[in-house]
Amino acid sequence: MSNDIVEAKPQLPQAVPNPLAMVADAIQRGTDPATIKALMDLADRYEATEARKAFTVALNAFKAAAPKIIKTKNVSFGPGKTSYKHALAGAASEQIGAALAVHGISHRWQTEQGDDGIVKVTCILTHALGHSERVTLQASPDTGGSKNSIQAIGSTVSYLQRYTLM
């Protein structure tokens, strides 16, 4: 028996096959179209899963360092009545958008108004790898404060944009 010390080499983990590489390999081998389609479906699901995971990591990183939104707009309904401060939609969007972008996430809104007059605003967050998540709120046009019909809709859109983003 020898007294030599034998160093154990660490075992590297086996690489997980990339579904897109599997598709390319199947095409080169002349694999039947049904199998190629199944592999392409697998690749699509794999990429969607990876994009969703990347979105979650990025959103968690954003939340860990989210900007403090400063409420600068004073609202008062007169002496002795309700008054408060809120963040302007544009300023909040700018602050949050810049902080999201650091983590590869962008935001945008989709706005609709139904035949019943209800205004619906959807905020869409999209990661650079393509995964998106949506938040939708809806409300009637804000007719308070002597607004004309267009101002009432605009006020509701701004309000819903602010709250769907936050």
Side-chain angles (χ1 to χ4, degrees):
M1 195 175 226
S2 169
N3 288 336
D4 293 339
I5 298 175
V6 178
E7 269 188 54
K9 293 184 180 178
Q11 293 291 328
L12 297 176
Q14 293 292 327
V16 176
N18 178 331
L20 288 176
M22 292 168 61
V23 170
D25 185 52
I27 291 169
Q28 285 182 345
R29 291 176 186 232
T31 304
D32 66 282
T35 302
I36 291 172
K37 182 183 180 324
L39 286 171
M40 290 177 69
D41 290 344
L42 172 67
D44 287 345
R45 287 193 313 273
Y46 175 80
E47 286 183 352
T49 299
E50 292 303 303
R52 188 181 70 248
K53 289 192 284 188
F55 177 90
T56 301
V57 168
L59 191 59
N60 287 339
F62 163 77
K63 287 180 177 182
K68 179 173 172 46
I69 305 302
I70 300 166
K71 297 178 179 185
T72 58
K73 176 71 175 173
N74 289 311
V75 177
S76 177
F77 293 96
K81 296 185 179 179
T82 302
S83 65
Y84 57 90
K85 283 186 167 187
H86 71 82
L88 293 170
S93 174
E94 195 173 297
Q95 286 179 285
I96 294 169
L100 285 168
V102 168
H103 303 287
I105 300 174
S106 64
H107 74 284
R108 63 185 173 90
W109 289 279
Q110 186 174 15
T111 304
E112 302 171 41
Q113 185 174 19
D115 293 337
D116 58 359
I118 298 295
V119 176
K120 185 190 302 186
V121 173
T122 301
C123 181
I124 305 164
L125 297 182
T126 303
H127 187 266
L129 293 182
H131 180 75
S132 294
E133 296 203 2
R134 300 165 172 258
V135 174
T136 301
L137 291 175
Q138 62 185 25
S140 299
D142 174 17
T143 57
S146 302
K147 295 178 187 79
N148 67 38
S149 60
I150 299 299
Q151 290 169 327
I153 294 167
S155 176
T156 300
V157 168
S158 292
Y159 184 88
L160 295 176
Q161 284 179 340
R162 185 171 55 251
Y163 282 94
T164 56
L165 180 59
M166 290 186 183

